[in-house]
Amino acid sequence: MDPTLIDTFKEVRMRRFTILGLGLALAFAAVLPGEAQNRNLTWTAGQVGGGWYTQAGGFVELIKSKDPSFNIKVVPGAGIQNMTKLQQAETEIAWGLPPFIVAAYQGQDPYKDKHPDMRLVMNGLGFVHSQWAVPADYPYKSIREIFESKKAITIGTTPPGGSDEWVMRKIFDFYKTSYNDVRSRGGKVILVSYTDLANQYRDRNMDIFFSNLAVPGASIQEASLGRKMKILPMDEDLIKYLEGFGLARGVVSKGSYKDVVNNDQDIPTVVMANTIVANAKVPADVVHDFTRALVSNVDAVRKVHPAFKDFDPKDAVRLANVPLHPGAERAYREAGLLK
């Protein structure tokens, strides 16, 4: 046979095999669930060095160990701005706090517009605690004394956009003062990352370290290692005022911090529950499998961070005024947590 014809037959046969292989691949992909092709998620957490960032990383490892199809990227965020990133589909999953989740969904302060794509995935994952930390030898015994003294103070928290700065501003409002008042008396208001706050405190460039963190907070622990501290209690009238903004009363439990000198007592403060939310457009099967990996492994969830040690799945579905994501709802029904 003519060698040219032989080459032609070979080429035709190879093309047929290529087309057949491509057809089989497309057919196989067509029968896969659509969600199985959409397991790449972004989880917007908190600042690097904060509890949320670490906790999200721990959950990602847990979920992936139960379902390797997930590829979840954790990125920095902040309590207030996370809700808007979720609404704008810049992230599929986010950490949130109930006062801001509800406010975002309803379009209330600090949000200008409603966030209708907000959906609850899981609530009740421990709490963030407002912590007013000062040096162990600080001359004032209460937050009220600090502001009534009208002396120069150096105070720091994280930048605007997160729950820390928002709560601190509410405290300033309660005591009828402002950042400008602090600066006018020769003081400083420092708005930087948790890591920088810990450094500023240790280096004695800052005396008051205000944070809204799960206990024990890594940056509080780090700061107290280099400079002994105490955490000031909140007065009852301040707690009642903050309850009006959706915060709840709580305590920094005794024994939470090794290098906090008043670690032998419960310290009154306010708290907000750690909550996972998702964009409504994330496929139901994806959120279902994400949620199932957590509610089916409660003991593992409790080991991710000390803040989760008392996690009860029954609390996961509770958040007034914000609907459950359909995928999460199905997972809870299967687990017997919803009727």
Side-chain angles (χ1 to χ4, degrees), residues 4 11 24 27 33 53 116 149 153 161 191 196 200 215 264 271 283 292 296 301 314 335 339:
T4 304
E11 184 177 347
L24 288 172
Y53 197 86
S149 75
I153 61 173
L191 303 172
D196 289 339
Q200 293 279 354
V215 173
D264 59 345
V271 300
R292 182 178 60 184
S296 299
V301 167
K314 293 178 183 177
K339 295 181 180 180

Side-chain angles (χ1 to χ4, degrees), residues 191-311:
L191 303 172
V192 293
S193 69
Y194 289 121
T195 301
D196 289 339
L197 288 169
N199 291 334
Q200 293 279 354
Y201 176 84
R202 282 203 315 263
D203 294 341
R204 290 172 165 73
N205 295 323
M206 180 184 83
D207 287 332
I208 304 171
F209 183 167
F210 181 78
S211 65
N212 213 34
L213 288 170
V215 173
S219 57
I220 293 289
Q221 288 178 311
E222 183 183 347
S224 65
L225 285 173
R227 186 184 181 192
K228 292 285 187 180
M229 67 166 54
K230 60 186 176 184
I231 297 175
L232 297 183
M234 287 192 177
D235 291 331
E236 178 65 19
D237 55 352
L238 174 58
I239 291 175
K240 286 184 177 179
Y241 173 76
L242 294 173
E243 283 180 320
F245 295 97
L247 287 79
R249 66 180 58 237
V251 296
V252 177
S253 299
K254 61 182 179 181
S256 296
Y257 292 105
K258 178 182 177 182
D259 294 294
V260 170
V261 297
N262 55 342
N263 186 47
D264 59 345
Q265 57 190 278
D266 290 340
I267 303 166
T269 187
V270 290
V271 300
M272 290 184 266
N274 294 307
T275 306
I276 301 173
V277 287
N279 186 290
K281 296 181 178 65
V282 180
D285 280 1
V286 173
V287 176
H288 168 269
D289 293 352
F290 176 101
T291 307
R292 182 178 60 184
L294 298 178
V295 296
S296 299
N297 296 279
V298 174
D299 288 341
V301 167
R302 290 171 178 163
K303 293 176 183 176
V304 167
H305 189 276
F308 306 152
K309 63 183 176 65
D310 297 320
F311 171 63

Side-chain angles (χ1 to χ4, degrees), residues 85-112:
K85 287 185 176 182
L86 195 76
Q87 175 61 32
Q88 295 174 348
E90 295 178 22
T91 187
E92 289 82 24
I93 304 288
W95 275 122
L97 298 165
F100 304 125
I101 296 169
V102 174
Y105 186 70
Q106 297 179 344
Q108 298 172 346
D109 180 63
Y111 303 96
K112 294 181 180 179

Side-chain angles (χ1 to χ4, degrees), residues 6-330:
I6 293 174
D7 290 342
T8 301
F9 286 142
K10 287 181 178 179
E11 184 177 347
V12 169
R13 187 167 60 181
M14 287 299 296
R15 285 180 180 175
R16 285 177 177 172
F17 279 130
T18 301
I19 293 170
L20 178 61
L22 180 60
L24 288 172
L26 290 172
F28 182 69
V31 300
L32 284 174
E35 291 76 15
Q37 303 170 45
N38 190 28
R39 301 281 168 152
N40 294 321
L41 302 176
T42 299
W43 185 339
T44 301
Q47 292 197 25
V48 175
W52 273 359
Y53 197 86
T54 303
Q55 292 161 0
F59 275 154
V60 168
E61 290 183 12
L62 171 57
I63 292 167
K64 193 166 182 62
S65 72
K66 304 302 177 183
D67 188 341
S69 70
F70 276 103
N71 179 31
I72 306 173
K73 180 182 179 182
V74 178
V75 299
I80 294 175
Q81 63 185 226
N82 283 6
M83 304 303 96
T84 300
K85 287 185 176 182
L86 195 76
Q87 175 61 32
Q88 295 174 348
E90 295 178 22
T91 187
E92 289 82 24
I93 304 288
W95 275 122
L97 298 165
F100 304 125
I101 296 169
V102 174
Y105 186 70
Q106 297 179 344
Q108 298 172 346
D109 180 63
Y111 303 96
K112 294 181 180 179
D113 303 309
K114 290 183 178 181
H115 291 39
D117 290 335
M118 189 78 54
R119 294 294 182 271
L120 172 64
V121 174
M122 184 172 290
N123 197 6
L125 289 161
F127 297 89
V128 293
H129 295 66
S130 292
Q131 299 166 72
W132 191 282
V134 297
D137 57 357
Y138 203 60
Y140 305 109
K141 296 180 180 179
S142 72
I143 301 170
R144 179 181 297 280
E145 283 184 28
I146 293 172
F147 288 114
E148 288 182 347
S149 75
K150 299 190 183 301
K151 297 289 182 64
I153 61 173
T154 52
I155 183 169
T157 193
T158 53
S163 64
D164 308 69
E165 194 273 338
W166 184 86
V167 175
M168 193 172 87
R169 260 191 299 113
K170 296 300 181 188
I171 295 172
F172 271 59
D173 291 344
F174 178 74
Y175 289 112
K176 296 180 171 53
T177 190
S178 67
Y179 296 171
N180 285 337
D181 288 340
V182 170
R183 293 170 180 135
S184 70
R185 297 179 187 127
K188 295 180 182 178
V189 177
I190 300 169
L191 303 172
V192 293
S193 69
Y194 289 121
T195 301
D196 289 339
L197 288 169
N199 291 334
Q200 293 279 354
Y201 176 84
R202 282 203 315 263
D203 294 341
R204 290 172 165 73
N205 295 323
M206 180 184 83
D207 287 332
I208 304 171
F209 183 167
F210 181 78
S211 65
N212 213 34
L213 288 170
V215 173
S219 57
I220 293 289
Q221 288 178 311
E222 183 183 347
S224 65
L225 285 173
R227 186 184 181 192
K228 292 285 187 180
M229 67 166 54
K230 60 186 176 184
I231 297 175
L232 297 183
M234 287 192 177
D235 291 331
E236 178 65 19
D237 55 352
L238 174 58
I239 291 175
K240 286 184 177 179
Y241 173 76
L242 294 173
E243 283 180 320
F245 295 97
L247 287 79
R249 66 180 58 237
V251 296
V252 177
S253 299
K254 61 182 179 181
S256 296
Y257 292 105
K258 178 182 177 182
D259 294 294
V260 170
V261 297
N262 55 342
N263 186 47
D264 59 345
Q265 57 190 278
D266 290 340
I267 303 166
T269 187
V270 290
V271 300
M272 290 184 266
N274 294 307
T275 306
I276 301 173
V277 287
N279 186 290
K281 296 181 178 65
V282 180
D285 280 1
V286 173
V287 176
H288 168 269
D289 293 352
F290 176 101
T291 307
R292 182 178 60 184
L294 298 178
V295 296
S296 299
N297 296 279
V298 174
D299 288 341
V301 167
R302 290 171 178 163
K303 293 176 183 176
V304 167
H305 189 276
F308 306 152
K309 63 183 176 65
D310 297 320
F311 171 63
D312 186 340
K314 293 178 183 177
D315 297 328
V317 300
R318 298 173 183 169
L319 183 58
N321 303 321
V322 177
L324 265 173
H325 193 288
E329 181 177 353
R330 179 156 65 93

